[in-house]
Structures are given as structure tokens and as C-alpha cells.
Amino acid sequence: MAACEGRRSGALGSSQSDFLTPPVGGAPWAVATTVVMYPPPPPPPHRDFISVTLSFGESYDNSKSWRRRSCWRKSQRHVQRGPPHLQIRPPSQDLQDGTQEEAMKREDVPVDPRPEGDPQRTVISWRGAVIEPEQGTELPSRKAEVPTKPPLPPARTQGTPAHPNYRQKGVIDVFLHAWKGYRKFAWGHDELKPVSRSFSEWFGLGLTLIDALDTMWILGLRKEFEEARKWVSKKLHFEKDVDVNLFESTIRILGGLLSAYHLSGDSLFLRKAEDFGNRLMPAFRTPSKIPYSDVNIGTGVAHPPRWTSDSTVAEVTSIQLEFRELSRLTGAKKFQEAVEKVTQHIHGLSGKKDGLVPMFINTHSGLFTHLGVFTLGARADSYYEYLLKQWIQGGKQETQLLEDYVEAIEGVRTHLLRRSEPSKLTFVGELAHGRFSAKMDHLVCFLPGTLALGVYHGLPASHMELARELMETCYQMNRQMETGLSPEIVHFNLYPQPGRRDVEVKPADRHNLLRPETVESLFYLYRVTGDRKYQDWGWEILQSFSRFTRVPSGGYSSINNVRDPQKPEPRDKMESFFLGETLKYLFLLFSDDPNLLSLDAYVFNTEAHPLPIWSPA
């Protein structure tokens, strides 16, 4: 999904038209044919701008961060906690751009001669100053700490093999074509460039492969999974001098490894996850404990972006699911404690507007910056998502999270909700210093699914009504485009004018990055309502991906122009979240088995990696 998914880029490039209109009402709540065009685990052991279109002079880096809730029912669903019925049978199969052939020449590199247990001598960077680590400060270990007794909590594995239906087979075919390109031209690298048959690196950690591990397991692609597992075992090493974005690497790498562990039961993935989690911890060594955006996983030096000392609110509040689960599995409390300090700090901050939060927070002062600008798009989106999902993950025990979520949804109703003309589509706009803009990122399409998930877990029916309305809007953002694919950003018409449609797209916003948010919400809406129209809408979108983004030699490419079906202009990039999120949600959407990753047993992080819901103590 979603994040600012961490969990993405986004709002680059368009000018804005601002409107002042009355809000939509809502009472507050008291508490294909392919055209070749291109068991509860044991407790831990006692041991300024007007909108997000600003880019600060930086180019798009494919991240989510540019990219990322009356009384409720007293009765809750109670089901047997246990593994989902996963289909496990296979169906009927250096930081620079380069080619796979060039990479193969660099494949066999000397192994670092230092013993694995030898801690790295390094320094910590803080606001440009270089200081020695404080006494007792833990530096990233060169291998994962060995968990102490008691043994690891059991992974929630299993699976009675299931036969995919016709539409699920369509998803599998798309995945295998994408994997074919990645395996042939970008194996072990971050992302495939399908048109040029090469690859690009971001962190140099095999992002696409790790993001796709649990997708392969869920789709039943055992052969592909085992090959990828071998690469993780032999080639995935974190002792390298490279900066990673804390948010993006948490939701994609840490989340992907934890999910792969839970679904497969293979402790290799948990060992890798713990090693990586240790290497991310220096990001939290700030005066305010609000983490820096970037950390070097080899040296332990963390720092803010080059252009500011601020972090993005969505980034620092959308890593909690992963770090909390890592603590639960390893017994190391430091991971959970670090992220929950952030949650508590932001809970008490001033500068909010009826539960809505600004987009930026200063890592030195710990205060919100760029006050008065509110959006559910890039830089803020997954803050709201993780309020609800942490509450669900923790067994619905942490009422403060729920209260913050509910307040925020009422803030959305009051300040950001409007209806378009002529079709009266409900949409979520943006607010800057009291002035409303009818701009909506595709990223915001995570919201109907999040609202539906809340209703599934006992929140009021009014949230479901809003979810249905917003789902229709997100579907229309796709349907009204000539390719059937949503642009990155749309603007809605607020006043009836002859010849004008509800949805308008500025030239700079016409690209599609293979994003998951619409199909993510379709999955939740179908799971909660059983209305098959949501499956049909997802099928239409899958066919559009196949028709306008497929590259014959393997892979799928983002496109520049969703308005031109004759010349969609491939951008030569297949984002890792296309395999990690988009295709996974489509496969689950087309399933009629509610026990396939049941919403009673799992909560998905903002990169669509399922993590188990904790049972109450």
C-alpha cells in the first residue's frame, strides 16, 4: 500500500488549483488479450508549500515516501488461530545501473577477511558532526545475534494445497512473465529495467527478490521460491558500505524477510531479519529519538537527507509493525521500544488538526515542521494506516492507537472530503493553510481498504459507507483513463461545467508506476462485503496491466501516459512493489477462500507483507 509503500513517490510535477467548498457531511463518531506494446507464540524471554508536489530539487527515487478510524460492535470475530490454507503446489513454473552480463563478471568478490564476530570500529554522524559512539552503544553486528532461550516462537506456516481458479492463474501467468525478466536480466539486483533488459540498483540488496518471496509462496511457486531462498542464503549479505532509507528498507526488506519466515517456517529468513534490524538501529540515535531517514548498514552512520534535518511523518510512523514483530520473535526489546517511543512522542505533539498530522518532523527538536499542510497522500498516508494496523496487530489492546485513528478519520470527513461534479464522486483532497485543493494522489486509494479493514474488526458501519464511496472513486480514476490505468495524481472538478468530466489529469501526472493501492483496497472490500463487482474491477485492471505495460522479453514497465493507449511510453522500470504488492493483492482478491491469509490471523504491512496478529495475553 500503501505509505508516504514507506508503503512512495509521488506527487511530482503538477501545478495546483485550489478550491474552497463546503465539506461532505458525516456525523462524527463519539469515541485479456495481450497487445504487445510494450498458536499464540510464547512471551519474550525475561532477559511550504501548498502540497506534496515539492521535490526539494531531488529527482524521483521510487520510494513510497515520495510515494508509504457511535460505538463499535462489542462482539468480535473469534476463529481458531492457526495457519492459513496456503497453496504451496507450483502451478502448471555495486550501486550502479548495468546489465546482467556485466554483473556476472563482478559476482565473485573476495570475502571480507575479518572474522564475523569482529565488531566494526566506526563513528556516529549527527547533524554533520562526527562523534565517537557512546559507551555501550551497539554497533551493527556482522551477523545476526543468536536468539537466547527459550526457542523461537513457532512460525505460522502450513497449507493445504489449493487449486488456483481461472483469474488466479492469470495472476500467476503475469507473475511468471515478470519473474522471467527479473531472473534473466536483473537476478540479485534491486529492480528490473525490462525495456533495456538490464537492472538498476537502489540499495544493492536484491529488493525485488526479497519483496517477492512471500508472493511466490502464496502463489504456490515453490520452485521459484526455493531458488530465491538459495540466493538469500548465499548472496544476501548486509556488511556493506551502503546507505539505506530506514522506511523503505524496513517495509520491503525487514517486512519481506519476516513474512517469508512466517509463511515458510524457515529460520534463515528470521536470522537475516534480525541481522538487518540490528543494522537499522543507529537511525534512532537522535536528540529527539525521531529516527533519521537514512542509515549506513555497514558503518552504522545515520543521517537525515542532504537537504533538510526533517524526516517524513509517514516514514517514522510506518515501521512499527515490523520492529514490534522482530522484538516478539527474538526477545530483543530494543526494536519495539525504539519505534513505540516514536509513536508515543507523535501522539502528544501539537500541530495536528482534528487528528490530521503535518507531513514533516524535525529529528533534532522532535517537533512538526511545515505546519498547516494536511494530506492523505505522499509523506503522510501510512501514518493513518499503521494506527489501525498496530491496534489490530497487538490484539486490540492498545486503545490509544484506535482513538488516534478514529479521530483522524473524523478529521478527514471534516476537512478533506468533497464530492466532484458531475457524478458526485467522493474524494479526499488536501488542505494548505486553510485552503482546499481538489488534488488526490493515487496513493490515497489505500484508504477505502483501510476503512473496510477497520469495519471488519468492529468499527462502525459509517466507515464502510465511506469505504464504498471512495472505492468507486478509485475505480473511476482507472476506468476514465484510456488505458484503464490510474495516473499518479488526479484533480477533481468541483463545479458543473459542460463537457468536463469528474477526473482531470495534468500532463506531468499522467504516469502509472504499477502501484497497488487500488487493487489493495479492492481486496479488502471484497473480503468484507463479498460483492463480486470488486473482483471484476480488479480483473479489468489486471488486463490493462497486461495490455499496456507488458514487455515481450520479460517484465512489466511503468508507463508515462495513461491517456494514450497507442503510445503509453514505457519508463523502463519495474518497481519491486509490482511483485510484492500489486500481484499479491490481485491473487488474494480473486480467491474465494477467506482462510487464505485470513484477516483474523494476519495484518499486512504497507508493502503487503503479512505478519501475524498477536493473541491477547
Side-chain angles (χ1 to χ4, degrees):
M1 139 72 246
C4 20
E5 157 65 147
R7 322 129 116 348
R8 282 171 203 209
S9 145
L12 296 178
S14 70
S15 60
Q16 303 218 267
S17 300
D18 299 315
F19 303 92
L20 290 170
T21 60
V24 172
W29 182 33
V31 181
T33 298
T34 299
V35 176
V36 179
M37 303 189 70
Y38 268 101
H46 293 293
R47 39 165 207 149
D48 315 318
F49 48 114
I50 189 83
S51 80
V52 297
T53 57
L54 287 184
S55 64
F56 299 94
E58 297 297 309
S59 61
Y60 166 61
D61 63 0
N62 95 339
S63 68
K64 271 193 178 182
S65 56
W66 289 69
R67 57 164 179 142
R68 262 274 218 125
R69 275 154 149 34
S70 83
C71 294
W72 62 88
R73 297 196 306 271
K74 296 295 183 182
S75 61
Q76 303 292 344
R77 292 177 176 80
H78 294 282
V79 298
Q80 179 68 34
R81 294 295 186 196
H85 299 294
L86 291 177
Q87 176 208 352
I88 59 175
R89 180 165 59 201
S92 25
Q93 194 189 34
D94 315 4
L95 303 180
Q96 60 182 8
D97 292 357
T99 64
Q100 183 71 2
E101 290 77 11
E102 293 166 347
M104 296 296 286
K105 298 175 183 177
R106 302 192 297 267
E107 186 86 5
D108 298 321
V109 295
V111 177
D112 191 324
R114 289 178 295 176
E116 286 195 343
D118 181 28
Q120 298 182 36
R121 288 309 204 185
T122 188
V123 294
I124 305 301
S125 172
W126 174 67
R127 292 183 63 83
V130 178
I131 59 176
E132 291 293 331
E134 297 178 8
Q135 185 174 3
T137 296
E138 296 175 301
L139 294 174
S141 62
R142 292 187 59 78
K143 64 177 180 179
E145 299 172 4
V146 178
T148 57
K149 295 180 180 180
L152 295 175
R156 190 172 285 170
T157 64
Q158 178 126 352
T160 302
H163 294 286
N165 59 38
Y166 175 78
R167 287 179 172 179
Q168 287 179 308
K169 288 179 181 177
V171 176
I172 292 172
D173 288 344
V174 171
F175 183 96
L176 287 174
H177 184 75
W179 194 249
K180 168 188 168 184
Y182 176 76
R183 187 178 183 275
K184 186 173 182 179
F185 304 118
W187 182 252
H189 298 281
D190 283 344
E191 290 170 322
L192 169 67
K193 298 175 70 175
V195 178
S196 58
R197 305 183 186 186
S198 58
F199 60 84
S200 63
E201 296 283 38
W202 188 8
F203 306 144
L205 296 173
L207 276 185
T208 293
L209 187 148
I210 297 174
D211 235 356
L213 283 168
D214 56 3
T215 306
M216 289 184 279
W217 187 274
I218 294 164
L219 270 58
L221 301 175
R222 180 57 61 89
K223 174 185 174 183
E224 289 77 9
F225 178 87
E226 291 298 336
E227 185 179 31
R229 189 259 183 213
K230 182 177 180 181
W231 182 89
V232 171
S233 176
K234 302 295 184 183
K235 299 293 185 181
L236 181 60
H237 305 294
F238 299 128
E239 58 274 14
K240 56 194 306 182
D241 183 6
V242 61
D243 282 0
V244 301
N245 177 271
L246 173 66
F247 165 71
E248 294 290 348
S249 63
T250 295
I251 65 173
R252 303 190 195 209
I253 298 174
L254 184 57
L257 291 170
L258 290 172
S259 178
Y261 164 68
H262 276 296
L263 297 184
S264 71
D266 190 334
S267 61
L268 164 71
F269 300 116
L270 181 55
R271 293 195 302 271
K272 294 288 186 180
E274 186 174 11
D275 182 9
F276 191 65
N278 279 319
R279 294 172 184 278
L280 297 179
M281 289 301 291
F284 294 90
R285 298 180 195 139
T286 70
S288 67
K289 305 306 179 185
I290 299 298
Y292 287 130
S293 63
D294 297 277
V295 59
N296 188 300
I297 58 174
T299 66
V301 175
H303 58 87
R306 293 187 301 275
W307 58 89
T308 180
S309 59
D310 292 348
S311 286
T312 298
V313 170
E315 290 191 344
V316 303
T317 58
S318 305
I319 54 179
Q320 279 71 8
L321 292 179
E322 300 83 357
F323 275 79
R324 282 159 45 117
E325 179 62 9
L326 186 58
S327 279
R328 190 184 73 93
L329 290 174
T330 64
K333 296 179 180 179
K334 62 183 180 181
F335 304 114
Q336 183 167 355
E337 289 173 347
V339 295
E340 289 189 344
K341 284 179 183 177
V342 176
T343 301
Q344 288 296 327
H345 180 85
I346 288 182
H347 169 75
L349 275 186
S350 61
K352 300 177 185 176
K353 188 177 185 67
D354 294 332
L356 303 177
V357 294
M359 295 183 292
F360 299 99
I361 185 168
N362 187 273
T363 54
H364 183 66
S365 69
L367 301 177
F368 288 132
T369 61
H370 306 291
L371 300 178
V373 180
F374 304 99
T375 176
L376 260 71
R379 303 181 189 274
D381 50 355
S382 51
Y383 161 75
Y384 306 100
E385 175 190 357
Y386 267 40
L387 288 175
L388 177 68
K389 288 184 174 181
Q390 285 180 83
W391 175 69
I392 295 170
Q393 179 192 48
K396 305 176 186 176
Q397 304 297 302
E398 301 154 289
T399 56
Q400 175 187 296
L401 294 166
L402 177 63
E403 291 167 358
D404 285 354
Y405 171 75
V406 171
E407 181 185 13
I409 296 305
E410 295 310 316
V412 171
R413 288 185 184 275
T414 302
H415 302 291
L416 302 183
L417 220 57
R418 301 290 189 276
R419 297 192 194 279
S420 68
E421 293 292 346
S423 303
K424 309 294 184 184
L425 297 176
T426 301
F427 70 95
V428 179
E430 299 182 350
L431 193 68
H433 310 295
R435 189 167 178 82
F436 182 78
S437 170
K439 167 183 174 290
M440 179 170 162
D441 295 357
H442 180 265
L443 289 169
V444 181
C445 288
F446 85 93
L447 184 58
T450 299
L451 289 166
L453 177 64
V455 172
Y456 184 87
H457 284 282
L459 274 64
S462 62
H463 285 207
M464 194 69 229
E465 295 169 8
L466 179 57
R468 288 179 181 271
E469 292 175 5
L470 290 173
M471 190 74 261
E472 171 71 27
T473 301
C474 291
Y475 170 60
Q476 291 299 329
M477 287 168 60
N478 288 268
R479 187 173 183 272
Q480 292 190 21
M481 300 301 113
E482 288 78 355
T483 59
L485 297 172
S486 173
E488 183 73 357
I489 302 167
V490 301
H491 289 75
F492 288 90
N493 288 316
L494 291 173
Y495 305 101
Q497 300 181 47
R500 295 187 65 180
R501 297 188 293 184
D502 295 78
V503 180
E504 291 193 343
V505 187
K506 298 181 183 297
D509 303 331
R510 292 177 177 177
H511 50 289
N512 179 285
L513 304 182
L514 312 176
R515 285 199 188 278
E517 286 77 21
T518 294
V519 297
E520 170 187 354
S521 285
L522 289 173
F523 158 67
Y524 285 112
L525 267 289
Y526 178 69
R527 275 287 176 96
V528 176
T529 69
D531 190 335
R532 292 191 178 275
K533 75 178 181 182
Y534 298 122
Q535 290 183 320
D536 295 339
W537 292 356
W539 184 245
E540 290 177 20
I541 292 172
L542 179 64
Q543 290 178 308
S544 292
F545 278 132
S546 294
R547 185 176 183 189
F548 297 108
T549 73
R550 186 179 188 272
V551 178
S553 58
Y556 294 78
S557 174
S558 303
I559 58 175
N560 274 324
N561 193 351
V562 298
R563 304 303 305 268
D564 189 347
Q566 302 303 318
K567 193 177 180 182
E569 299 178 19
R571 296 164 64 100
D572 196 19
K573 190 167 192 179
M574 186 175 77
E575 307 282 356
S576 77
F577 53 71
F578 182 62
L579 301 186
E581 298 187 72
T582 306
L583 296 183
K584 182 187 300 160
Y585 279 128
L586 282 165
F587 186 85
L588 295 173
L589 167 64
F590 298 145
S591 172
D592 290 318
D593 179 7
N595 291 316
L596 179 60
L597 295 176
S598 166
L599 298 181
D600 290 301
Y602 289 94
V603 62
F604 291 82
N605 84 339
T606 197
E607 191 76 2
H609 296 306
L611 301 173
I613 295 172
W614 309 343
S615 295

